[in-house]
Amino acid sequence: MFKGLENLSYEERLQELGLLILEKEKLPICSSMAPRKKLQGLVAATVTPMTPDGQINLSVIRQYVDYLVSKQNVKNIFVNGTTGEGLALSIQERKQLAEEWVRQGKDKLDHVIIHVGALSLPGSQELARHAAAIGASGIAVIAPFFFKPTSKDELLAFLREVASEAPAVPFYYYHIPPLTGVKIRVEELLDGIKEQIPTFQGVKFSDTDLLDLAQCINKNGGEEFVFLYGVDEQLLSALAIGANGAVGSTYNYLGQKTNMMLQAFAQHDLALARKYQFLTGEFLNFVIKLGFGVAQTKAVMTFVSGIPMGPPRLPLVKASEEFIAKAKAKLDMLQFTDCFSMWHVEVNGT
Ligand SMILES: CC(=O)N[C@@H]([C@@H](O)[C@H](O)[C@H](O)CO)[C@@H](O)CC(=O)C(=O)O
């Protein structure tokens, strides 16, 4: 546990934590979290904007926040996750990004969740302390996936050691077995988790095993845990079994449409909810066949929002012009572009 910060001045705390202050305006050091709204609804898994030569581009984050809030009606973000290429960034870059998202999100966003998972425990702990210090509304951690935990107890021990570095910050487990290869069932992990991790708040569940998710919800409904689903094309099914919301890449540019699906679902209009799910499903089914991942998400987000997101970082490579043209045409065909074109007019003045 990181101790002794309370006796240090602001500057000393920052030095101790290895923080970077990028602008004159300083971020608050939070010793405890103010009570916040429960995390629910849509959470955009943000992409990390980069310059054409591959450096992180902090200069467009303000515009990005405004776009999410005003054009997609999305007020929660998940930073430095899969879509944000978190594991392809240096620790310093991850801190810079976290700081900028928290700074720009202040008074505009409801929740800024920082993904602090890393392959090494000290790396993850450093990021957790940093997220706490800058006032993040939550932290999330994936299972380490080079040396993998092989049992619930091993995974829990790792998560506990990270969570305890940010003892006042809500903690989320980020379950994404297709990428980590760690297939420990969440149902099993959650059994008794509060005793080990008092800050435990919920799960970002990026897997298609809906039986596991259903068991988690069924057994932990009374605990007030939050279950956020992470397979966007199947969100409606997760809502039906009780998911509280979703974290995903498509909410960057299909947030408004997906919000309509959530609304239809809440009003028990299943036929309408399905219509929205089928529309996003049709788009994703189309692009997945072309080859769809973080690089393609960056390209789609660039042409939809008008904000240059830049290339991905190696080993990922830029989406092809052919992909971009086809994805654009498909969105047009599905009439997703109605609201997007208005945004283009406002942003570009054309
Ligand atoms: C494997 C992957 O990238 N999954 C995405 C989904 O949003 C995904 O892009 C979408 O369902 C399309 O397949 C998210 O679960 C990832 C995510 O939330 C994150 O960036 O941390």
Side-chain angles (χ1 to χ4, degrees), residues 19-52:
L19 294 191
L20 294 152
I21 288 298
L22 304 169
E23 287 177 13
K24 288 193 192 96
E25 184 201 339
K26 292 174 178 172
L27 292 161
I29 293 281
C30 297
S31 52
S32 65
M33 292 291 295
R36 290 176 190 265
K37 269 201 238 174
K38 186 174 171 179
L39 180 54
Q40 58 185 0
L42 295 186
V43 183
T46 53
V47 303
T48 291
M50 291 189 187
T51 59

Side-chain angles (χ1 to χ4, degrees), residues 194-343:
K194 263 288 201 195
E195 282 114 62
Q196 302 275 338
I197 304 178
T199 50
F200 183 78
Q201 193 79 47
V203 181
K204 168 173 163 10
F205 195 103
S206 285
D207 190 30
T208 51
D209 184 350
L210 288 175
L211 175 59
D212 189 18
L213 179 63
Q215 289 302 301
C216 292
I217 295 170
N218 189 24
K219 290 187 177 168
N220 298 282
E223 299 268 7
E224 304 248 309
F225 292 161
V226 168
F227 293 95
L228 300 163
Y229 195 56
V231 184
D232 311 6
E233 49 278 45
Q234 297 184 183
L235 174 57
L236 187 55
S237 316
L239 292 177
I241 55 170
N244 308 84
V247 185
S249 66
T250 61
Y251 312 130
N252 283 293
Y253 54 94
L254 296 178
Q256 198 181 88
K257 299 284 177 199
T258 312
N259 269 318
M260 289 179 190
M261 182 177 91
L262 298 191
Q263 201 182 349
F265 181 77
Q267 291 168 350
H268 308 290
D269 189 344
L270 256 190
L272 185 60
R274 268 193 219 113
K275 190 181 138 197
Y276 285 115
Q277 181 72 97
F278 291 161
L279 278 173
T280 53
E282 190 175 336
F283 175 67
L284 284 171
N285 194 41
F286 177 78
V287 289
I288 286 169
K289 284 185 196 153
L290 297 175
F292 185 70
V294 172
Q296 289 70 26
T297 293
K298 283 184 121 163
V300 172
M301 187 52 184
T302 299
F303 72 71
V304 172
S305 70
I307 304 168
M309 297 302 174
R313 181 162 287 174
L314 284 169
L316 302 183
V317 294
K318 264 191 350 192
S320 66
E321 289 306 319
E322 189 192 349
F323 171 87
I324 294 171
K326 286 185 172 166
K328 224 181 204 165
K330 187 70 177 175
L331 279 175
D332 281 343
M333 201 198 87
L334 294 170
Q335 293 181 326
F336 280 139
T337 39
D338 296 353
C339 51
F340 304 152
S341 45
M342 278 161 54
W343 168 246

Side-chain angles (χ1 to χ4, degrees), residues 98-120:
E99 287 182 27
E100 193 59 15
W101 280 109
V102 168
R103 178 182 292 126
Q104 297 303 341
K106 193 166 178 288
D107 302 327
K108 292 179 180 170
L109 298 174
D110 291 335
H111 289 265
V112 179
I113 310 296
I114 308 292
H115 172 242
V116 302
L119 291 188
S120 82

Side-chain angles (χ1 to χ4, degrees), residues 82-138:
T82 306
T83 308
E85 301 173 84
L87 274 296
L89 302 168
S90 70
I91 293 277
Q92 181 177 328
E93 287 174 321
R94 290 174 72 170
K95 287 183 181 177
Q96 287 177 295
L97 283 156
E99 287 182 27
E100 193 59 15
W101 280 109
V102 168
R103 178 182 292 126
Q104 297 303 341
K106 193 166 178 288
D107 302 327
K108 292 179 180 170
L109 298 174
D110 291 335
H111 289 265
V112 179
I113 310 296
I114 308 292
H115 172 242
V116 302
L119 291 188
S120 82
L121 181 59
S124 201
Q125 289 174 316
E126 185 178 339
L127 289 167
R129 287 193 296 272
H130 176 265
I134 63 174
S137 22

